[in-house]
Amino acid sequence: MPTRRTALALLAGGTTALALGTAPAAFAHGRPFGPYGSPARRLGPATLYVDARGRGDHTTVQAAVNAATGTGRTLVIAPGTYRETVDIPADRTGLTLIGASGDPRDTVIVYDNANGTPRPDGSGTYGTSGSATVTARPAGLTARDLTFANDWLRADHPGYTGTQAVAIKVTGDRSAFYGCRFLGHQDTLYADSASLTDFARQYYRDCYVEGDVDFVFGRASAVLDRCHFRTLTRTDLAAAPYGFVFAPSTAGANPHGFLVLRSRVTSTAPDGYFKLARPWVPSSDLTAHPMLTVRDSHLGAGIDADEPYGTMAAGFPWQEQRFAEYRNTGPGARVTVPANRPRLTGSEARLHTPAAWFGDWRP
């Protein structure tokens, strides 16, 4: 039986397991920050260095965040596993987080809270938002070459009903993630906004996201470009569906929800055991009108081509939401039941682009 810390490693995708806590030899001796300087040779006064082995300014990411007051600070994080929760306040605008090795598998921020995990002070459970390993609130946040993970496992807690376990919750406008990995099971990547009237723009480029239930969700105006989404098998279920990749909760007044392009969806589960998406209309916003466009992407056999969409709550069927596809390929993109595959026309597709989503922002 795999432990909670090794299960995600074995399922991390590809042939290389996620090495939680094992830094590459080149960084383990002498130059933990690679080309990004060091406390003795600082790139600039706005740069702080994080190393769990004590060779930086701080040994934890949260300590470095606490010290990074003001705007435009950079945290360079040495390879290693940082088992902690991190809360980045909204006033850390323009903050940049960099994994020093350039390989996101080397630098991992991970914890294991879930929705149903009791708080230590006895005040109840964490809830979905409170379960996040990292909570990123500031505008203008940039992250590169990092892994954000939540390695809580259902098998360890069979009595839990709150099984959502978020790897990262992002609420800031103009947030950008490049070459990052997001590992979890249910509710892995929470791409959200600070309020119903805040249409936070977010960009995810060349990222890897894995999970099972609603593992990319929220109300942000998020573009996921050239990303790899990996659906995981489930030993606790005997039949399909195992889960859903996307669960947008776009505010009704927001013209832009999730835009997925030039990406791919693969699976470790049997063929057809996953839905592409279902709409999330939360009780806190019954006027939500979820929006998802998936275009120019490859949908693997894990996606149910006959019925790729599902409904989360009675009264909010997926057919009444803003779901659309355009020029997708792969066995999961086959149009076997046309009524179940809403598709954009060529003229409509010209309005579903990063430029339309981002306006005056160019990440």
Side-chain angles (χ1 to χ4, degrees), residues 141-227:
L141 176 79
T142 300
R144 297 181 183 275
D145 303 324
L146 291 166
T147 290
F148 303 91
N150 190 319
D151 59 0
W152 186 91
L153 293 176
R154 297 183 187 94
D156 292 345
H157 304 277
Y160 276 43
T161 55
T163 57
Q164 299 88 349
V166 177
I168 187 169
K169 179 176 182 179
V170 185
T171 61
D173 185 37
R174 294 178 287 107
S175 298
F177 294 78
Y178 301 95
C180 290
R181 308 181 90 213
F182 306 93
L183 310 182
H185 285 272
Q186 184 170 353
D187 291 8
T188 305
L189 171 57
Y190 196 171
D192 205 40
S193 67
S195 70
L196 296 178
T197 57
D198 178 23
F199 303 158
R201 296 165 294 178
Q202 299 173 12
Y203 186 54
Y204 301 83
R205 173 69 182 256
D206 297 317
C207 292
Y208 172 89
V209 194
E210 71 175 24
D212 47 44
V213 179
D214 306 333
F215 64 93
V216 181
F217 74 115
R219 64 172 173 245
S221 297
V223 174
L224 300 112
D225 185 9
R226 301 184 189 275
C227 292

Side-chain angles (χ1 to χ4, degrees), residues 329-345:
T329 60
R334 293 195 313 270
V335 181
T336 58
V337 183
N340 289 344
R341 307 300 300 234
R343 285 166 290 171
L344 299 174
T345 65

Side-chain angles (χ1 to χ4, degrees), residues 107-122:
T107 307
V108 181
I109 307 172
V110 59
Y111 210 72
D112 62 348
N113 285 330
N115 179 328
T117 302
R119 293 180 180 273
D121 62 5

